Amino acid sequence: MVYYRPDGLDTTFSALSDPTRRAILARLAEQDALSVSELAKPFPVSLPAIMKHLDVLAEARLIRREKKGRVVSCELTAAPMEDAMLWLTRYAQFWSKQLDRLAAFVEKDSCPSPAPTPSPSQASPSNVVSMRRRKRSTPRGPTPKKS
């Protein structure tokens, strides 16, 4: 059996994939250190479930837990987020360049030079365009009899 040890970015993005964990991080960003019970208050899940979320965040090194007496407090750590931002910035620059190239291409093709207007002798005798009718996807079913 092969054991896979994910690198820092994998664990960071995996931890950030859950909305509850992102909300916990947002609360910790607003306040320096919160106890586990304070973190758990707004969530409609049990305290053990919050503890599991905190385990994932701690494993990804996104938070640091400290126990003082009977109270466990959590605080945000920035290093893994900085690594993730560097990675995202590199790809944002790549996609910005690609999208700029696409926009330039579309703008160039969407504004063609005006076509020369035909002289009256070259004009077609009719401006009416004939169009074929769309075929129906299924034939009509039986119509109800009127009494």
Side-chain angles (χ1 to χ4, degrees):
M1 178 185 272
V2 176
Y3 291 99
Y4 174 69
R5 171 99 175 124
D7 71 348
L9 279 177
D10 290 345
T11 56
T12 300
F13 285 123
S14 178
L16 293 173
S17 69
D18 186 88
T20 302
R21 292 192 285 266
R22 289 192 306 268
I24 289 171
L25 291 174
R27 292 206 55 219
L28 287 172
E30 292 171 359
Q31 296 180 346
D32 272 347
L34 291 171
S35 69
V36 172
S37 59
E38 289 173 330
L39 278 172
K41 278 182 188 176
F43 299 105
V45 294
S46 66
L47 188 59
I50 293 295
M51 292 297 293
K52 288 181 181 180
H53 284 298
L54 293 175
D55 289 341
V56 172
L57 291 171
E59 183 180 324
R61 298 177 308 135
L62 291 168
I63 64 167
R64 179 178 28 246
R65 290 187 269 196
E66 185 178 336
K67 187 172 183 177
K68 293 180 184 173
R70 293 174 47 179
V71 177
V72 177
S73 62
C74 300
E75 60 183 29
L76 201 56
T77 57
M81 290 296 279
E82 290 172 4
D83 294 341
M85 282 305 298
L86 288 172
W87 188 87
L88 289 170
T89 301
R90 185 173 65 234
Y91 285 95
Q93 290 170 352
F94 168 78
W95 283 110
S96 292
K97 288 177 188 175
Q98 297 301 321
L99 291 173
D100 289 345
R101 287 179 53 209
L102 177 62
F105 176 78
V106 169
E107 288 174 5
K108 184 176 111 179
D109 283 356
S110 66
C111 299
S113 59
T117 55
S119 65
S121 63
Q122 294 175 339
S124 64
S126 171
N127 288 336
V128 177
V129 177
S130 63
M131 294 177 54
R132 294 179 66 181
R133 290 186 133 217
R134 250 182 62 193
K135 291 184 178 181
R136 294 187 178 173
S137 59
T138 57
R140 270 193 184 161
T143 56
K145 293 183 182 180
K146 294 184 181 180
S147 4

